[in-house]
Amino acid sequence: MPTVAQHFARLHPTSSQRLSGAAPEQASPVVLMVSGGADSTALLVMACTSKLDLRDGRGLARIARERIHVLHINHHLRGVASDEDERFVRDLCAHFGVPVCVEHASFSDLGGQNLEAAAREARYAAARRYVRELCAQTNTPRTSARIVTAHTASDRTETFFMNAIKGSGPAGLSSIPRRRNIIVRPLIDMTHGELCRYLEVAGMTWREDETNKDTSYLRNFVRHRVVPLASERNANLERTIGATCDILGEEDAFMSQLAARSLRACVRREQEGLIVIDADRLASAEIAIARRMIRLAYRFVAPEERLEMRHVEAVLSCVAAGAGSLSLPGSVDARMEFGTLALRTAAARESIVAGWVPVPGTMPLASQAVLETGVVEVPHGADPVAFARELSEASDALQAGRTVCVDAAALGYAERDLTRLLETSPALPAEVLNARLWVDAPAPGDIMCPLGMHGRSKKVSDILGAAHVPVAERASVPVVRTSPGGAIVWVGGIRLDERFKCTAASKLLIKLVIRAIAETGARMDG
């Protein structure tokens, strides 16, 4: 997102700005994406004979010929005409003495995409590969390279109307940006008509794609039906919409920055395929920011998928209600529980142990195991510490270390609430009392205060190493916490935290047991 100085630098570059960044740019590759149509042909001619603004701080400047490389993608969608386009581009590059790389694309499996989107994705993927190869050859950083496309003000106007017709937010209505990372569009302020006239004056020919006349495609419908009609009311339509797109794009970038900052403050847990968000903070965010936060969180777990507005609204409805779950595109599960919103991919649901376990209640774990939680009252007159030890040892007659008793008060649970739970019904929903624990896998940087170390802290990774847990198996070790990202209560089957141990003052205990699923089934049958 540019500052005022950066925004107007392209219009009024100072001498220092023109010089800044020149040194690292001298050998970095500039890849022109040339199809053979009027716009991309004009791009090549201008790059070789005139000046272009590559948005590298130098403003309008000539590009050293040795930096210029052309990429042409033969999509093979128009038979002989596609091959003729390829020959035209090869001849054009030979005329100007610049190297050309031709890649061939196949679209036998679109994977649910429309053809236009699949072709666009193939072009940019090829361009990124080519840039990587060229940067490796020239030993230059990719950040200083440029992928240059021939998008014009006309393309921008068409995309604006297309997205408006389909329904879009500010990101879609901002249309085609001037720059995205190393992709730049120096012709974005010129119209298609102006470029055609430029080529005619220069005595250059170009290729025409006959499919551009087929109005069954949305872009062609907008180009031949919508834009001419709108131009009757505004002869300067393309530049007017271009200015609107700039404003929308800059404001969208600012809003996205705010949303990203807000999301970082709300995240309680994140790992591959999983993100857990503080739902109360999300619910208190302005709706415009909250919608973007959901999209950013979803992109974290499913970067290749896209959310529609109805999905975003459905998730936020669950957040507002404080409960509910739904399935999102890409088999992502969105679930509201105990004041948190968790987004999980299908792979994460299978491989990652992460979620709330109610007290009392059960939760499936990895390795065919289950975590059971329960509430136990210390008998009147009994020694709480000795009682907890006996309870654990009795449960662990077969497998030591698989049961612990935790002081309920240390977890912050009110005695009257848990007593009510014991006196009424063991089936009373834990949500009523907000009694729950978070269970997930060890995370980098996890620290706890192991029982017996008198309050001194230790890395969980060191504890697992001392327990001889193989590195490959550590992700399956359940870690019980007070909340996502909260204090560690128990590294399942290995070590209890000193802060949650039973004391002489303990009256109610939370019993945590890890059982094999087969053992649980046998116990239930008995």
Side-chain angles (χ1 to χ4, degrees):
M1 184 175 60
T3 63
V4 172
Q6 292 168 337
H7 175 79
F8 287 101
R10 65 185 175 87
L11 301 177
H12 312 293
T14 64
S15 58
S16 61
Q17 288 169 334
R18 284 192 292 268
L19 291 173
S20 67
E25 299 291 335
Q26 290 177 357
S28 56
V30 176
V31 175
L32 309 178
M33 299 183 71
V34 180
S35 65
D39 299 339
S40 63
T41 299
L43 174 67
L44 177 55
V45 174
M46 289 182 182
C48 293
T49 64
S50 185
K51 299 177 180 180
L52 289 176
D53 183 359
L54 298 183
R55 302 186 73 80
D56 54 8
R58 299 186 302 154
L60 279 172
R62 286 190 175 274
I63 307 170
R65 187 61 62 89
E66 62 270 16
R67 296 178 62 197
I68 299 175
H69 302 264
V70 169
L71 175 64
H72 175 78
I73 309 297
N74 188 336
H75 294 106
H76 295 283
L77 296 174
R78 295 162 38 243
V80 174
S82 292
D83 295 332
E84 290 176 351
D85 290 345
E86 178 184 328
R87 280 193 292 272
F88 174 82
V89 173
R90 288 185 183 276
D91 291 342
L92 191 63
C93 292
H95 174 76
F96 286 105
V98 295
V100 58
C101 171
V102 175
E103 289 216 9
H104 299 266
S106 172
F107 301 100
S108 55
D109 182 12
L110 295 176
Q113 287 181 307
N114 63 51
L115 186 57
E116 182 181 4
R120 180 174 60 249
E121 186 175 302
R123 288 195 295 272
Y124 282 116
R128 287 190 291 268
R129 285 195 303 270
Y130 194 30
V131 163
R132 282 196 295 270
E133 293 171 6
L134 292 171
C135 287
Q137 293 170 12
T138 57
N139 195 29
T140 54
R142 272 184 286 173
T143 52
S144 64
R146 291 292 182 268
I147 296 171
V148 188
T149 72
H151 287 103
T152 66
S154 304
D155 296 314
R156 212 179 195 191
T157 299
E158 292 162 8
T159 303
F160 174 87
F161 279 118
M162 288 170 63
N163 288 339
I165 290 170
K166 291 186 291 185
S168 178
L173 293 178
S174 62
S175 190
I176 304 170
R178 294 176 178 274
R179 175 181 176 179
R180 179 176 284 126
N181 300 322
I182 65 171
I183 301 171
V184 295
R185 301 175 173 99
L187 307 185
I188 202 74
D189 289 322
M190 302 184 71
T191 68
H192 174 71
E194 288 171 340
L195 293 178
C196 289
R197 288 190 289 275
Y198 168 82
L199 291 176
E200 289 169 354
V201 170
M204 302 295 298
T205 59
W206 64 88
R207 295 283 298 169
E208 290 285 359
D209 184 347
E210 290 300 317
T211 62
N212 286 339
K213 299 177 182 178
D214 184 357
T215 55
S216 64
Y217 293 104
L218 179 57
R219 181 173 294 278
N220 293 340
F221 174 80
V222 168
R223 177 179 300 163
H224 298 296
R225 302 278 184 85
V226 177
V227 171
L229 192 63
S231 296
E232 292 179 8
R233 290 297 183 120
N234 183 352
N236 202 29
L237 179 72
E238 290 163 321
R239 286 191 170 80
T240 300
I241 288 183
T244 301
C245 291
D246 282 338
I247 293 170
L248 286 170
E250 288 157 2
E251 294 188 354
D252 179 61
F254 175 68
M255 292 284 283
S256 294
Q257 188 180 78
L258 288 181
R261 191 181 305 155
S262 298
L263 180 62
R264 283 195 296 272
C266 290
V267 171
R268 293 294 171 263
R269 176 75 172 176
E270 59 180 3
Q271 62 192 91
E272 186 176 355
L274 169 70
I275 187 167
V276 182
I277 303 167
D278 185 325
D280 290 338
R281 299 189 70 167
L282 177 59
S284 65
E286 292 83 357
I287 187 65
I289 295 296
R291 288 186 180 118
R292 291 169 181 268
M293 291 168 68
I294 294 299
R295 290 187 182 277
L296 287 172
Y298 178 77
R299 195 180 306 156
F300 174 81
V301 298
E304 302 302 320
E305 302 290 339
R306 295 187 66 182
L307 275 187
E308 295 179 13
M309 178 59 88
R310 61 188 176 92
H311 298 126
V312 175
E313 295 295 289
V315 173
L316 290 177
S317 177
C318 290
V319 171
S325 64
L326 63 151
S327 295
L328 301 176
S331 298
V332 173
D333 175 73
R335 188 171 298 275
M336 268 294 305
E337 275 186 311
F338 298 115
T340 61
L341 170 68
L343 302 182
R344 290 181 182 83
T345 61
R349 291 195 297 275
E350 294 175 3
S351 61
I352 299 175
V353 174
W356 292 106
V357 58
V359 179
T362 61
M363 177 180 177
L365 302 176
S367 305
Q368 296 294 299
V370 64
L371 173 67
E372 294 180 358
T373 68
V375 183
V376 181
E377 187 174 14
V378 177
H380 182 69
D383 178 354
V385 177
F387 175 73
R389 186 184 304 115
E390 291 171 4
L391 197 63
S392 298
E393 290 174 353
S395 299
D396 280 345
L398 297 178
Q399 281 186 301
R402 307 277 285 183
T403 302
V404 293
C405 290
V406 182
D407 183 19
L411 288 172
Y413 302 146
E415 180 183 344
R416 64 179 181 276
D417 287 339
L418 292 181
T419 302
R420 172 186 166 211
L421 178 65
L422 289 169
E423 291 175 348
T424 54
S425 167
L428 184 68
E431 288 88 343
V432 173
L433 307 176
N434 204 30
R436 78 277 188 246
L437 292 165
W438 177 263
V439 185
D440 58 18
D446 270 346
I447 294 176
M448 67 182 296
C449 299
L451 183 64
M453 290 187 62
H454 309 292
R456 287 177 295 166
S457 63
K458 191 172 184 178
K459 290 182 179 179
V460 170
S461 57
D462 292 340
I463 294 172
L464 294 173
H468 305 294
V469 178
V471 174
E473 297 177 12
R474 292 181 186 180
S476 63
V477 174
V479 177
V480 180
R481 307 174 192 264
T482 56
S483 63
I488 293 175
V489 177
W490 184 39
V491 177
I494 297 175
R495 206 71 178 266
L496 178 69
D497 191 285
E498 177 88 19
R499 293 167 291 182
F500 303 100
K501 68 180 181 180
C502 296
T503 68
S506 299
K507 296 181 179 180
L508 288 171
L509 311 179
I510 304 296
K511 183 180 177 183
L512 306 175
V513 185
I514 296 175
R515 301 186 191 277
I517 290 177
E519 175 191 345
T520 304
R523 192 166 51 83
M524 291 176 64
D525 291 341

